[in-house]
Tab-separated table of all heavy atoms in Angstrom:
chain	number	residue	atom	x	y	z
F	945	ALA	N	123.294	74.770	65.687
F	945	ALA	CA	122.246	75.048	66.650
F	945	ALA	C	122.494	74.308	67.956
F	945	ALA	O	122.128	74.784	69.025
F	945	ALA	CB	120.884	74.640	66.078
F	946	GLU	N	123.144	73.134	67.906
F	946	GLU	CA	123.385	72.360	69.114
F	946	GLU	C	124.547	72.899	69.932
F	946	GLU	O	124.670	72.605	71.100
F	946	GLU	CB	123.672	70.904	68.736
F	946	GLU	CG	122.464	70.175	68.220
F	946	GLU	CD	122.791	68.757	67.791
F	946	GLU	OE1	123.924	68.310	68.028
F	946	GLU	OE2	121.911	68.107	67.224
F	947	THR	N	125.446	73.679	69.343
F	947	THR	CA	126.597	74.202	70.063
F	947	THR	C	126.147	75.349	70.962
F	947	THR	O	125.775	76.415	70.485
F	947	THR	CB	127.655	74.718	69.069
F	947	THR	OG1	127.939	73.696	68.139
F	947	THR	CG2	128.909	75.130	69.795
F	948	PRO	N	126.170	75.153	72.285
F	948	PRO	CA	125.759	76.229	73.189
F	948	PRO	C	126.887	77.244	73.320
F	948	PRO	O	128.058	76.919	73.178
F	948	PRO	CB	125.519	75.509	74.511
F	948	PRO	CG	126.421	74.333	74.459
F	948	PRO	CD	126.497	73.945	73.008
F	949	SER	N	126.513	78.466	73.595
F	949	SER	CA	127.523	79.484	73.806
F	949	SER	C	128.067	79.323	75.224
F	949	SER	O	127.311	79.316	76.196
F	949	SER	CB	126.931	80.876	73.600
F	949	SER	OG	125.874	81.075	74.511
F	950	SER	N	129.374	79.124	75.353
F	950	SER	CA	129.997	78.874	76.645
F	950	SER	C	130.443	80.185	77.260
F	950	SER	O	130.968	81.061	76.592
F	950	SER	CB	131.213	77.961	76.475
F	950	SER	OG	130.824	76.734	75.926
F	951	SER	N	130.254	80.276	78.548
F	951	SER	CA	130.738	81.459	79.240
F	951	SER	C	132.201	81.257	79.601
F	951	SER	O	132.729	80.145	79.534
F	951	SER	CB	129.912	81.702	80.505
F	951	SER	OG	130.145	80.661	81.430
F	952	LEU	N	132.850	82.311	79.982
F	952	LEU	CA	134.268	82.256	80.304
F	952	LEU	C	134.530	81.351	81.499
F	952	LEU	O	135.502	80.588	81.520
F	952	LEU	CB	134.780	83.674	80.564
F	952	LEU	CG	136.284	83.845	80.712
F	952	LEU	CD1	136.978	83.374	79.449
F	952	LEU	CD2	136.624	85.294	80.988
F	953	SER	N	133.651	81.381	82.465
F	953	SER	CA	133.840	80.526	83.645
F	953	SER	C	133.695	79.049	83.290
F	953	SER	O	134.399	78.199	83.846
F	953	SER	CB	132.855	80.910	84.748
F	953	SER	OG	131.529	80.685	84.315
F	954	ASP	N	132.804	78.731	82.347
F	954	ASP	CA	132.667	77.342	81.906
F	954	ASP	C	133.937	76.862	81.202
F	954	ASP	O	134.378	75.725	81.410
F	954	ASP	CB	131.473	77.178	80.963
F	954	ASP	CG	130.137	77.362	81.662
F	954	ASP	OD1	130.093	77.209	82.904
F	954	ASP	OD2	129.147	77.646	80.955
F	955	VAL	N	134.502	77.729	80.389
F	955	VAL	CA	135.720	77.373	79.670
F	955	VAL	C	136.860	77.124	80.661
F	955	VAL	O	137.583	76.128	80.562
F	955	VAL	CB	136.106	78.468	78.658
F	955	VAL	CG1	137.482	78.207	78.061
F	955	VAL	CG2	135.062	78.581	77.566
F	956	PHE	N	136.996	78.027	81.647
F	956	PHE	CA	138.058	77.854	82.637
F	956	PHE	C	137.834	76.612	83.497
F	956	PHE	O	138.777	75.884	83.803
F	956	PHE	CB	138.187	79.090	83.537
F	956	PHE	CG	139.028	80.167	82.924
F	956	PHE	CD1	138.505	81.427	82.719
F	956	PHE	CD2	140.349	79.919	82.568
F	956	PHE	CE1	139.278	82.422	82.157
F	956	PHE	CE2	141.129	80.905	82.014
F	956	PHE	CZ	140.600	82.163	81.800
F	957	SER	N	136.608	76.361	83.887
F	957	SER	CA	136.352	75.180	84.716
F	957	SER	C	136.635	73.901	83.930
F	957	SER	O	137.191	72.942	84.466
F	957	SER	CB	134.911	75.183	85.241
F	957	SER	OG	133.996	75.051	84.176
F	958	GLN	N	136.285	73.884	82.650
F	958	GLN	CA	136.587	72.719	81.821
F	958	GLN	C	138.102	72.561	81.648
F	958	GLN	O	138.634	71.449	81.725
F	958	GLN	CB	135.927	72.858	80.451
F	958	GLN	CG	136.099	71.622	79.582
F	958	GLN	CD	135.390	71.770	78.244
F	958	GLN	OE1	134.862	72.821	77.924
F	958	GLN	NE2	135.406	70.702	77.466
F	959	TYR	N	138.797	73.675	81.486
F	959	TYR	CA	140.250	73.633	81.351
F	959	TYR	C	140.893	73.079	82.619
F	959	TYR	O	141.746	72.199	82.568
F	959	TYR	CB	140.796	75.030	81.040
F	959	TYR	CG	142.301	75.108	81.087
F	959	TYR	CD1	143.071	74.579	80.057
F	959	TYR	CD2	142.950	75.697	82.168
F	959	TYR	CE1	144.449	74.642	80.100
F	959	TYR	CE2	144.328	75.761	82.211
F	959	TYR	CZ	145.075	75.241	81.184
F	959	TYR	OH	146.434	75.292	81.231
F	960	PHE	N	140.477	73.588	83.781
F	960	PHE	CA	141.058	73.124	85.038
F	960	PHE	C	140.697	71.667	85.321
F	960	PHE	O	141.489	70.921	85.896
F	960	PHE	CB	140.637	74.027	86.197
F	960	PHE	CG	141.323	75.357	86.177
F	960	PHE	CD1	140.597	76.527	86.190
F	960	PHE	CD2	142.712	75.443	86.119
F	960	PHE	CE1	141.221	77.748	86.165
F	960	PHE	CE2	143.349	76.668	86.095
F	960	PHE	CZ	142.602	77.830	86.114
F	961	GLN	N	139.532	71.245	84.900
F	961	GLN	CA	139.151	69.848	85.066
F	961	GLN	C	140.041	68.954	84.204
F	961	GLN	O	140.503	67.906	84.650
F	961	GLN	CB	137.684	69.648	84.692
F	961	GLN	CG	137.202	68.225	84.888
F	961	GLN	CD	135.745	68.063	84.518
F	961	GLN	OE1	135.095	69.003	84.067
F	961	GLN	NE2	135.232	66.870	84.698
F	962	THR	N	140.304	69.394	82.983
F	962	THR	CA	141.179	68.634	82.093
F	962	THR	C	142.591	68.557	82.658
F	962	THR	O	143.209	67.484	82.669
F	962	THR	CB	141.211	69.275	80.697
F	962	THR	OG1	139.880	69.389	80.201
F	962	THR	CG2	142.062	68.470	79.734
F	963	VAL	N	143.105	69.665	83.149
F	963	VAL	CA	144.443	69.682	83.741
F	963	VAL	C	144.484	68.787	84.973
F	963	VAL	O	145.431	68.029	85.186
F	963	VAL	CB	144.878	71.122	84.087
F	963	VAL	CG1	146.139	71.135	84.927
F	963	VAL	CG2	145.077	71.922	82.817
F	964	SER	N	143.434	68.846	85.785
F	964	SER	CA	143.364	68.018	86.983
F	964	SER	C	143.360	66.536	86.626
F	964	SER	O	144.052	65.727	87.259
F	964	SER	CB	142.107	68.370	87.772
F	964	SER	OG	141.915	67.472	88.830
F	965	GLU	N	142.590	66.150	85.624
F	965	GLU	CA	142.564	64.754	85.186
F	965	GLU	C	143.933	64.326	84.660
F	965	GLU	O	144.377	63.215	84.927
F	965	GLU	CB	141.504	64.558	84.105
F	965	GLU	CG	140.087	64.618	84.619
F	965	GLU	CD	139.063	64.515	83.501
F	965	GLU	OE1	139.461	64.353	82.326
F	965	GLU	OE2	137.868	64.616	83.811
F	966	TYR	N	144.585	65.217	83.936
F	966	TYR	CA	145.914	64.890	83.416
F	966	TYR	C	146.899	64.652	84.551
F	966	TYR	O	147.654	63.679	84.545
F	966	TYR	CB	146.420	66.015	82.510
F	966	TYR	CG	147.849	65.826	82.067
F	966	TYR	CD1	148.164	64.905	81.072
F	966	TYR	CD2	148.882	66.539	82.649
F	966	TYR	CE1	149.475	64.710	80.659
F	966	TYR	CE2	150.197	66.350	82.253
F	966	TYR	CZ	150.481	65.437	81.263
F	966	TYR	OH	151.775	65.248	80.874
F	967	LEU	N	146.884	65.559	85.539
F	967	LEU	CA	147.822	65.432	86.646
F	967	LEU	C	147.537	64.215	87.519
F	967	LEU	O	148.445	63.609	88.071
F	967	LEU	CB	147.791	66.703	87.507
F	967	LEU	CG	148.359	67.956	86.858
F	967	LEU	CD1	148.160	69.157	87.760
F	967	LEU	CD2	149.825	67.780	86.522
F	968	SER	N	146.278	63.829	87.626
F	968	SER	CA	145.943	62.710	88.507
F	968	SER	C	146.003	61.353	87.813
F	968	SER	O	146.251	60.339	88.467
F	968	SER	CB	144.553	62.916	89.100
F	968	SER	OG	143.566	62.861	88.089
F	969	LYS	N	145.808	61.300	86.499
F	969	LYS	CA	145.737	60.004	85.815
F	969	LYS	C	146.897	59.782	84.849
F	969	LYS	O	147.605	58.776	84.939
F	969	LYS	CB	144.414	59.876	85.059
F	969	LYS	CG	143.210	59.829	85.965
F	969	LYS	CD	141.930	59.745	85.173
F	969	LYS	CE	140.729	59.787	86.107
F	969	LYS	NZ	139.476	59.841	85.365
């Protein structure tokens, strides 16, 4: 019940944020 349904844009934004953190840190 706590797991919200993620939209495609949320998934992509989280992916790009993760990649950005990897590249910067």
